[in-house]
Amino acid sequence: MTSSRLSGFRDLDVEGRRATVAEQAGLGAADLGVLDPTRGLTLDQADHMIENVVGVMGLPFGVATNFTINGEDVLVPMVTEEPSVVAAASNSARIARVRGGFFTSSTAPLMQAQIQILGCADPAGARVRLLEAREELIEAANAQDPALISFGGGVHDLVVRLVESRAGTYVVAHLVVDVRDAMGANAVNTMAEAVAERAGRIAGGRTLLRILTNKADMRLARARAVFDSEALGGPEVVENIVHASALAESDPYRAATHNKGIMNGITAVVLATGNDTRAVEAGAHSHAVDERGRYAALSHFEKDADGHLTGVLELPMPVGLVGGATKVHPVARAAVRILAPPDARRLAEVVVATGLAQNLAALRALATEGIQRGHMSLHARNVAVSAGATGDEIEKVVARLVQDRAVRADHAETVLAELRGSSTPTSGGTA
Ligand code: MEV
């Protein structure tokens, strides 16, 4: 990657943007040909991915610019149906750049599988017997995945918890597995199923569930950035963003929306790279519950000693580069080629940096002019197209809708009819 600072990028046409991305990412133009809707996922490929296939659904694939992560420029592929998300991430990344961009870190890629054991006469004793059998159980689990072991992964630990429930005490054994560059669900589920019966015998109970936990709190990725006070709009904006963040840290009603804004960025990158969006979302929201059991903001913003805004975000990030749609879906493969992460940890860190950028953009808009002004002109495009506008008509209708402060389907139809020289509103739209 030469540079992610691509001025004028958004003014190019789609072909021009694709050629620029290919050039910056060191790819041939043909490498990104699959981004053309006619050359993406085929019906046959789709038919092998899920059941009862009757078609494929397209979504816009954009690229966020301006990102510098740990001193390296990166273009971030994003798939989303929501207008303004890609522009907002790029805008925040431009502000972060002033003070060095994003800085990231992550834990080892540790996933956990749970084995639920019922009906133990002596749960406390069962727990300790299982821990005594740690080596035996780990060896049996590792025997399931020689390839993972050869890449330096495998079971890292055995943890046993007692969970009190309305139906009694469950002994719950966790296999903690280093899954390397995989998302890891298949690896840990296979291991849990393989050792469950033996674990049940050792514990003196009956095993029931054997499945990973999406509360992937041993597989965390973090991002941090300093957002320059002047680039943000001045000290008052910094102050207001700190207040916006503080409300989300203390009020679950605000926290849910604040975190949704973070997920606008995160889900878009996770989806673009063919990873499991629901696994990431489950991990994120479970992580948003603090020690006191309250749902709170995933990110935190503070004013630093020099008056600039520091933002941090940390959450579970179970994303992989091998297996699943990441390898099968041609567009996901293209997204991975644009990003070119050396491993899954780096991908996880880019995803979290994008979430932080997205969050900052939303808070800055909310703490200043409000979200609607920026949203409305983008939303107006959808409204104009839905009303039937095509080609040059789109920008003309958008301009009128924004100018009239009436971004509505009926007004778009009236404006379009006027443009076309007829006073009867067109019924060409789908709105
Ligand atoms: C809209 O998709 C996301 C926001 O609501 C996030 C937020 O309120 O922080 C703007």
Side-chain angles (χ1 to χ4, degrees), residues 254-426:
R254 175 56 205 153
T257 322
H258 178 100
N259 291 342
K260 191 274 185 183
I262 293 172
M263 299 313 286
N264 277 345
I266 286 183
T267 302
V269 188
V270 173
L271 184 58
T273 56
N275 274 285
D276 184 338
T277 53
R278 289 81 56 217
V280 169
E281 281 156 9
H285 292 294
S286 64
H287 200 68
V289 177
D290 67 17
E291 322 76 57
R292 284 179 287 167
R294 285 178 337 164
Y295 181 88
L298 284 162
S299 64
H300 303 276
F301 289 87
E302 300 160 314
K303 184 165 71 173
D304 74 10
D306 300 318
H308 304 299
L309 184 74
T310 309
V312 294
L313 175 62
E314 178 182 64
L315 74 159
M317 196 44 64
V319 288
L321 287 170
V322 294
T326 303
K327 273 279 176 266
V328 173
H329 198 302
V331 176
R333 287 211 304 263
V336 170
R337 295 194 73 181
I338 293 169
L339 261 179
D343 53 27
R345 279 176 69 170
R346 168 75 174 173
L347 171 60
E349 292 173 16
V350 171
V351 171
V352 176
T354 312
L356 181 60
Q358 204 71 53
N359 189 205
L360 183 272
L363 297 188
R364 182 171 178 239
L366 289 167
T368 54
E369 64 182 15
I371 210 79
Q372 281 311 81
R373 202 170 132 208
H375 262 204
M376 270 310 160
S377 55
L378 290 157
H379 176 55
R381 286 186 67 82
N382 283 344
V383 174
V385 171
S386 298
T390 56
D392 290 352
E393 289 171 344
I394 298 174
E395 289 312 323
K396 289 182 184 152
V397 175
V398 167
R400 269 287 302 279
L401 298 187
V402 173
Q403 180 196 319
D404 297 350
R405 294 180 178 273
V407 184
R408 293 191 321 263
D410 61 322
H411 192 49
E413 284 173 15
T414 307
V415 171
L416 190 58
E418 273 172 36
L419 273 178
R420 290 178 179 173
S422 124
S423 56
T424 327
T426 167

Side-chain angles (χ1 to χ4, degrees), residues 187-248:
V188 302
N189 289 343
T190 305
M191 288 176 172
E193 290 193 358
V195 302
E197 197 196 318
R198 177 72 185 130
R201 262 190 279 126
I202 294 168
R206 175 170 74 86
T207 56
L208 189 58
L209 307 186
R210 294 141 294 158
I211 187 75
L212 92 166
T213 169
N214 285 120
K215 185 172 166 58
D217 55 3
M218 291 184 171
R219 193 179 191 177
L220 300 175
R222 316 171 189 98
R224 174 181 69 79
V226 176
F227 300 97
D228 185 82
S229 165
E230 201 182 317
L232 277 171
E236 203 187 327
V237 178
V238 172
E239 209 66 55
N240 287 344
I241 294 176
V242 171
H243 281 300
S245 172
L247 179 61

Side-chain angles (χ1 to χ4, degrees), residues 111-122:
M111 294 295 281
Q112 303 172 63
Q114 296 187 291
I115 302 169
Q116 177 193 21
I117 308 173
L118 290 68
C120 298
D122 58 341

